[in-house]
Amino acid sequence: MRTFNLFTVILSLSFFVSSFNRIENNTLHKNANKISSYNSDNDDVKENISNDFFKRYSDLKKYKSDIMSLYKHRSLGSIWHDENEINEFGTVLYEKAKQTNDLNIPYQTEIDKLFDNSSENGLSKTDADMLLSSLYIVYAQKNISDSKKKVSYDTMLKDFLNYSTIEGATASTSADVKVQYDQYYKLEDVLKKYKKMDRSHKWKAIVPEETPYKDLRPDAVSSTIAQVRNHLYLMGDLKNDSKSNVYDRELMDAVMKYKVRNGFKPNYILSEEHIQEMNTPLSEKMQTLKLNMERCRTIAAQMANSDEYVLVNVPSYELIYVKNGKVQMTSPVFVGAPLTKTTIFNGEIDRIVFSPYWTVPQSIVQNELKSKIAADPNYLTEKNMEIVNGQVRQKPGPDNSLGLVKFMFPNPDDIYMHDTPSKTLFDFEKRTFSHGCINVKMAKELAVAMLKDYPEWTQAKIDKAMDGKIENSFKLTKKVPIYICYFTSMVNENGEIGFFKDVYEKDAELSKELSVALEQ
């Protein structure tokens, strides 16, 4: 409960600060028509604007002097808008007003429409801004403390914009709630971008021209292509929207960028699955971003301060190796199947084992090998296996199920990372094949990168150790932290957001946990 509430407070605070810094004096509109210019000292213009507004919104006349006082030092410039859109500060005011009991809001229907993405409100920015200013006055009157009753609304608004009350309340605990993992703030930036896009009404669902849908490939001509083009432009995969219906070279590059960042197979085919993913409502994507921001809180602080670590993200099937604060390499992985899920936990890699034996877990022997051995007396020999001290193990070699190198980090679930001879499995988009361990496509490259600080481990020595003949175990003098994580959205090193399949259905679990915590 405490963690979630503080998370909400900090997120709201960041919205206030960022919005306040961006507020500018903008030219106002009268109804739908733009006022070409006016001088800030022209009292007649200001009076005409206010008279016109309060004539049409007569129930607000009693608040006229208070509302106009908010614009006293803003030359009637907007308070609640960033360019032509309501800023986050206006959004939070609206949410706080809705949560205030017994608050009588004049013209509530018109104000509600400002925040209803499915409704065209038809209001000018001038009207919308002054309606929100009236909402602020009503809200302030309801929540004003006795000690501030003699303070002007304009002064209170400045305090409200700075949000000094929340800053003071959280000052003593800010060190406790600061998120160390910078992924949190990267996701937060994307969330702000999506909120702004949601308010702009520019995002539209793609309606395929083809019925039933047929895969779209380069050189195809279809109205669906133009819609995809617009979507990828809004998402940042495409620099310009030519509005062309032709699947051209420019769109091919954008599709590839979209697929790579979202974990799809890197090709130019646009299947129905891709259209469905693109049509995921922004509201759902924003909820996913919030859930993964919350997950960032569980990342141990030492990871953010560590100069070297390995991060495995299960939903994206990817390993990231970081050293000296920079990503040294990434590699595709495959992970545990739904019935044998890879455990989400932190550990420390303390050994690298070259040309390893594979001691087959007893559960696999009982459930899979026992019947095969009984049916075929030569099964063990053909699979390069032997029985030692009552346990079945596979000898080192290129066909060993662990490949030619494994990375050990002690844990109660006996999970480790390793190479694999089954390289073709990395061609699949959904890679949940293992019994829980993490299979690394670029295992050799990872070993080479991790051993750069060990001069005795030359490339030649590593190659010999990985010849598949004799097991060779090396204990690291400096353990390397490993974090097996579960992020269904993540910002990569290029600043690109990716959304990944919730393969273990953990998003729903976390959302439920947070809802329960909020109700307590």
Side-chain angles (χ1 to χ4, degrees):
M1 172 70 176
R2 177 175 176 271
T3 299
F4 183 78
N5 286 341
L6 287 173
F7 163 73
T8 304
V9 167
I10 291 174
L11 188 58
S12 299
L13 176 57
S14 68
F15 286 163
F16 283 128
V17 174
S18 64
S19 299
F20 179 64
N21 289 336
R22 294 200 308 269
I23 291 177
E24 302 174 348
N25 290 338
N26 295 304
T27 303
L28 298 179
H29 294 68
K30 181 178 179 180
N31 296 330
N33 299 317
K34 183 177 181 181
I35 298 176
S36 59
S37 64
Y38 62 87
N39 188 291
S40 61
D41 295 324
N42 192 328
D43 292 334
D44 289 338
V45 171
K46 290 190 286 187
E47 186 66 21
N48 288 338
I49 291 173
S50 65
N51 286 341
D52 177 68
F53 176 81
F54 290 108
K55 181 179 180 180
R56 287 180 288 108
Y57 298 95
S58 57
D59 289 351
L60 297 176
K61 284 184 178 179
K62 59 183 176 181
Y63 304 113
K64 181 176 179 178
S65 62
D66 293 328
I67 293 172
M68 298 310 296
S69 73
L70 301 181
Y71 295 95
K72 182 177 180 181
H73 302 296
R74 296 180 175 83
S75 302
L76 279 179
S78 63
I79 299 171
W80 313 101
H81 284 76
D82 182 6
E83 298 179 350
N84 291 318
E85 300 171 357
I86 296 175
N87 56 38
E88 291 91 344
F89 186 52
T91 301
V92 176
L93 169 67
Y94 175 68
E95 294 297 331
K96 291 176 74 68
K98 284 202 306 181
Q99 295 169 11
T100 302
N101 295 328
D102 303 324
L103 188 66
N104 183 20
I105 304 175
Y107 301 101
Q108 180 165 355
T109 300
E110 286 78 357
I111 292 174
D112 286 341
K113 286 182 179 179
L114 296 176
F115 299 91
D116 184 356
N117 292 333
S118 64
S119 173
E120 294 293 336
N121 61 73
L123 295 179
S124 68
K125 187 169 74 173
T126 304
D127 283 0
D129 210 77
M130 293 181 73
L131 279 174
L132 288 175
S133 291
S134 72
L135 176 63
Y136 173 76
I137 296 296
V138 173
Y139 171 79
Q141 287 181 348
K142 179 72 175 180
N143 292 275
I144 191 172
S145 63
D146 292 337
S147 62
K148 286 192 174 183
K149 283 189 175 179
K150 294 183 180 181
V151 178
S152 71
Y153 287 110
D154 183 47
T155 301
M156 283 192 291
L157 179 61
K158 292 176 182 177
D159 290 341
F160 195 39
L161 285 168
N162 288 320
Y163 221 54
S164 57
T165 302
I166 286 185
E167 285 182 324
T170 60
S172 61
T173 59
S174 59
D176 297 330
V177 300
K178 179 175 174 58
V179 183
Q180 297 291 328
Y181 187 32
D182 63 355
Q183 182 69 207
Y184 175 95
Y185 303 100
K186 293 177 181 178
L187 291 170
E188 184 181 45
D189 287 342
V190 176
L191 179 62
K192 291 178 183 178
K193 172 187 171 183
Y194 279 25
K195 281 178 175 286
K196 185 174 181 179
M197 190 187 305
D198 195 33
R199 292 195 305 272
S200 73
H201 308 292
K202 293 178 180 178
W203 184 94
K204 305 291 183 184
I206 297 170
V207 182
E209 175 186 308
E210 303 79 11
T211 304
Y213 182 86
K214 295 181 180 179
D215 288 350
L216 294 171
R217 301 170 186 271
D219 297 327
V221 179
S222 168
S223 64
T224 308
I225 295 296
Q227 296 177 71
V228 169
R229 188 184 299 276
N230 178 255
H231 178 92
L232 296 182
Y233 167 69
L234 292 174
M235 293 295 112
D237 298 306
L238 194 59
K239 290 184 178 180
N240 300 293
D241 181 7
S242 67
K243 304 187 185 305
S244 170
N245 285 350
V246 180
Y247 193 164
D248 54 17
R249 178 76 251 180
E250 184 180 41
L251 186 60
M252 288 169 63
D253 293 340
V255 167
M256 183 63 72
K257 185 176 180 181
Y258 159 79
K259 286 196 169 187
V260 169
R261 69 178 173 86
N262 288 296
F264 289 113
K265 193 172 183 177
N267 58 36
Y268 300 119
I269 300 171
L270 282 170
S271 70
E272 189 170 15
E273 178 187 12
H274 304 128
I275 302 300
Q276 290 174 348
E277 194 287 327
M278 291 180 188
N279 280 344
T280 302
L282 283 178
S283 58
E284 290 186 22
K285 287 187 177 291
M286 289 189 287
Q287 176 63 12
T288 299
L289 291 168
K290 292 176 184 177
L291 291 175
N292 287 284
M293 287 171 68
E294 190 66 21
R295 286 187 174 113
C296 289
R297 295 177 172 279
T298 65
I299 295 294
Q302 59 261 35
M303 186 182 104
N305 300 319
S306 177
D307 63 349
E308 182 181 20
Y309 62 86
V310 171
L311 185 147
V312 176
N313 185 37
V314 170
S316 63
Y317 311 111
E318 184 178 49
L319 175 149
I320 302 171
Y321 174 56
V322 174
K323 191 168 185 178
N324 299 323
K326 295 182 180 180
V327 175
Q328 301 297 314
M329 63 163 288
T330 61
S331 173
V333 301
F334 62 80
V335 296
L339 294 178
T340 53
K341 298 175 183 177
T342 296
T343 307
I344 309 303
F345 72 102
N346 305 336
E348 290 183 316
I349 301 173
D350 63 357
R351 279 180 298 146
I352 298 178
V353 182
F354 296 103
S355 300
Y357 281 97
W358 177 43
T359 300
V360 184
Q362 196 60 31
S363 59
I364 296 178
V365 172
Q366 290 294 328
N367 298 329
E368 300 177 29
L369 298 189
K370 193 173 181 179
S371 58
K372 295 178 180 179
I373 294 171
D376 182 2
N378 296 320
Y379 181 84
L380 290 177
T381 302
E382 292 171 355
K383 297 298 181 182
N384 200 27
M385 290 181 173
E386 61 185 1
I387 298 177
V388 179
N389 297 325
Q391 290 186 308
V392 178
R393 71 176 187 179
Q394 191 175 30
K395 300 174 185 178
D399 295 326
N400 186 286
S401 293
L402 304 186
L404 296 173
V405 61
K406 68 176 180 178
F407 305 83
M408 303 298 292
F409 37 96
N411 62 87
D413 295 311
D414 197 25
I415 290 175
Y416 45 89
M417 293 193 306
H418 61 84
D419 183 26
T420 176
S422 305
K423 301 296 185 185
T424 57
L425 293 179
F426 293 107
D427 294 334
F428 289 83
E429 284 184 356
K430 184 179 180 181
R431 298 194 291 272
T432 51
F433 303 118
S434 80
H435 290 83
C437 287
I438 300 157
N439 292 242
V440 184
K441 182 178 184 179
M442 299 171 64
K444 180 177 182 179
E445 291 85 345
L446 178 61
V448 170
M450 291 179 63
L451 291 173
K452 281 187 176 180
D453 289 340
Y454 299 85
E456 69 272 27
W457 280 97
T458 62
Q459 184 67 57
K461 183 175 180 178
I462 293 174
D463 290 341
K464 182 173 176 55
M466 293 181 68
D467 63 8
K469 296 178 180 179
I470 301 174
E471 183 176 89
N472 188 338
S473 180
F474 175 67
K475 187 174 182 179
L476 300 174
T477 56
K478 180 185 176 184
K479 298 178 182 179
V480 178
I482 178 169
Y483 301 87
I484 303 175
C485 305
Y486 196 92
F487 288 102
T488 50
S489 64
M490 203 171 191
V491 178
N492 65 20
E493 60 180 320
N494 298 320
E496 300 164 342
I497 183 65
F499 291 89
F500 313 109
K501 294 288 181 64
D502 184 10
V503 289
Y504 293 163
E505 299 182 348
K506 287 183 175 290
D507 276 5
E509 294 176 14
L510 178 58
S511 183
K512 184 177 180 181
E513 290 173 8
L514 295 177
S515 296
V516 171
L518 189 61
E519 293 172 357
Q520 291 177 347

